[in-house]
Amino acid sequence: MSGVLTHPEYDDHELVAFHRDPGSGLRAVVAVHSTVLGRGLGGCRVHPYASEADAITDVLRLSRGMTYKAALAGLQQGGGKAVVIADPRLDKTPAMMRAMGRLVQTLGGRYVIAEDSGTDEADMREVAHETAFIGGGAAPINPDDPGDRDTSAATALGVYFGIQAAVRFRLGREDLRGLRVSIQGVGKVGQVLAQHLHDAGARLFVCDAYAPAVDACVQRFGATPVDARELIGLDVDVFSPCALGAVFDDDSVPRLRAPIVAGAANNQLAEPRHGGMLMDRGVLYAPDYAINAGGIINLYYEGPTRRWADVEAHLQRIGRTLDTIFMRARDEVRPTHEIADRMAETVFRKQP
Ligand code: NAD
């Protein structure tokens, strides 16, 4: 592998910190891509990476992505990320998370840690013993606030507003009644999204690797279960990927029949060129990090003065941002994900 400074994903990161704590066994990398707009917020992922090189590639890519996501969402916040090389089920310990907290503290607020895959609320409580630079997990619970402690409700509502914007733009329709929507992955985000779509009168087609999640949608929303092999080729109005990344590749794009793709999953394009392939097929693609920004928006408002109404108002801006992306993409005949990148760069590179 080439060095970190010449890594293809390096992209002039402000800071990359490597740390090993012999006492707890922590092996971590923290990457801060940009603090131009504010502190570099990003989740801490615990994953048994096959190599340090894989961990570095992941943390650089994810940290950069956070800068773009925050900038496009209109947040005064930068982008960062942390990875811990460990199996979250076998290796992770409270002592390891405390050591992670101490590492975060030494960075003096340039990086703000949050939950991610492989970390949970209990981990953040350990981290909170060592640092105050923490987003989410440590705030008091407010039962009247749907986004408190769980960003998936906000993410789902943001995706719902995004679907409304895409339907308006591509199909010229203001309401979702009778619209056919397929959802890949009805987990935390997908279930709440299904609820919003059902309430709006949409017909749902759902697929999940976990059968009880599908059953819940059948019972609660009268959804139609769909086999994983048939999902992409289903004749629907909207396909909403809410499970995994790299959904669109050379194999899946030609089989896609939905004219709209709008879902929560991160990194939906296997490679950037697949965004161009979607455009060439006449598919309107809501760029993943633009439509799924609800989670980071939710975290942004955390604190004693938080009001869900403020979060919801900000989530509605996701729809307006997508309106702009869609219009510019049409006018400039360019893929929507490229337009989103340029819009984000304008925001975080323009600052003094
Ligand atoms: P989750 O783990 O609760 O749900 C994912 C669901 O997808 C699970 O039910 C799982 O069984 C299912 N699944 C996995 N592989 C599948 C496959 N091959 N086919 C069909 N279903 C499959 O996760 P979540 O929090 O709902 O997040 C969903 C997606 O949205 C993820 O890609 C996540 O990175 C992204 N996202 C989530 C948030 C958030 O706030 N939770 C924010 C931004 C982005």
Side-chain angles (χ1 to χ4, degrees):
M1 194 203 81
S2 60
V4 175
L5 295 175
T6 50
H7 193 288
E9 304 281 348
Y10 183 64
D11 192 44
D12 288 329
H13 262 72
E14 285 183 19
L15 171 90
V16 183
F18 297 83
H19 184 63
R20 199 170 77 86
D21 178 60
S24 64
L26 175 74
R27 287 189 298 152
V29 188
V30 177
V32 178
H33 178 254
S34 170
T35 57
V36 170
L37 295 173
R39 299 183 193 280
L41 175 92
C44 173
R45 181 168 287 192
V46 178
H47 184 76
Y49 291 98
S51 66
E52 277 181 26
D54 286 357
I56 291 166
T57 300
D58 209 30
V59 78
L60 292 175
R61 195 174 47 83
L62 292 166
S63 151
R64 177 177 182 270
M66 290 301 291
T67 300
Y68 279 73
K69 187 184 281 202
L72 198 61
L75 305 177
Q76 291 300 306
Q77 195 163 275
K81 204 84 183 182
V83 296
V84 174
I85 305 171
D87 186 319
R89 275 184 289 268
L90 303 177
D91 309 325
K92 193 177 68 178
T93 60
M96 193 181 272
M97 296 316 297
R98 291 261 184 138
M100 189 66 214
R102 289 194 294 277
L103 171 60
V104 172
Q105 184 64 18
T106 63
L107 300 175
R110 293 171 83 183
Y111 171 62
V112 177
I113 192 170
E115 282 177 40
D116 201 87
S117 114
T119 49
D120 57 22
E121 210 177 302
D123 297 323
M124 290 305 122
R125 278 199 295 273
E126 295 298 336
V127 168
H129 282 289
E130 307 288 348
T131 184
F133 301 121
I134 179 167
I141 295 174
N142 174 359
D144 300 326
D145 183 340
D148 205 4
R149 291 291 183 105
D150 183 5
T151 58
S152 49
T155 304
L157 188 56
V159 172
Y160 175 70
F161 291 142
I163 289 176
Q164 284 182 320
V167 166
R168 203 164 42 236
F169 187 85
R170 181 68 172 76
L171 306 177
R173 288 184 46 169
E174 285 297 332
D175 77 288
L176 306 185
R177 197 161 301 282
L179 204 82
R180 293 159 303 165
V181 183
S182 62
I183 308 179
Q184 180 183 42
V186 275
K188 291 196 294 288
V189 175
Q191 285 282 338
V192 183
L193 174 64
Q195 175 80 64
H196 290 306
L197 292 167
H198 174 69
D199 292 346
R203 286 171 52 200
L204 301 177
F205 300 82
V206 300
C207 170
D208 197 298
Y210 182 57
V214 174
D215 294 345
C217 286
V218 172
Q219 279 167 21
R220 294 174 63 200
F221 316 124
T224 305
V226 181
D227 189 85
R229 284 163 304 198
E230 289 163 22
L231 187 70
I232 285 274
L234 209 63
D235 183 14
V236 290
D237 302 298
V238 179
F239 171 49
S240 185
C242 294
L244 339 135
V247 185
F248 300 108
D249 57 20
D250 291 344
D251 174 56
S252 60
V253 173
R255 291 189 293 125
L256 181 71
R257 287 178 71 188
I260 294 171
V261 169
N266 279 311
N267 304 319
Q268 292 173 27
L269 305 175
E271 295 171 42
R273 65 186 175 85
H274 295 113
M277 282 175 70
L278 287 171
M279 182 184 84
D280 293 344
R281 283 182 61 82
V283 176
L284 183 68
Y285 167 60
D288 43 20
Y289 72 85
I291 193 169
N292 75 12
I296 189 177
I297 291 170
N298 189 60
L299 276 182
Y300 186 75
Y301 281 88
E302 201 152 77
T305 56
R306 174 193 167 96
R307 292 189 316 139
W308 173 250
D310 296 334
V311 182
E312 192 168 352
H314 204 130
L315 294 174
Q316 282 174 343
R317 285 169 55 180
I318 290 177
R320 295 198 288 278
T321 301
L322 286 171
D323 287 340
T324 308
I325 293 171
F326 295 154
M327 277 188 285
R328 280 188 53 180
R330 180 187 57 198
D331 295 348
E332 298 175 29
V333 197
R334 284 168 63 200
T336 50
H337 73 284
E338 284 184 20
I339 300 291
D341 284 357
R342 296 301 86 78
M343 282 171 59
E345 285 161 5
T346 308
V347 177
F348 75 82
R349 297 222 161 111
K350 210 188 245 173
Q351 308 288 316

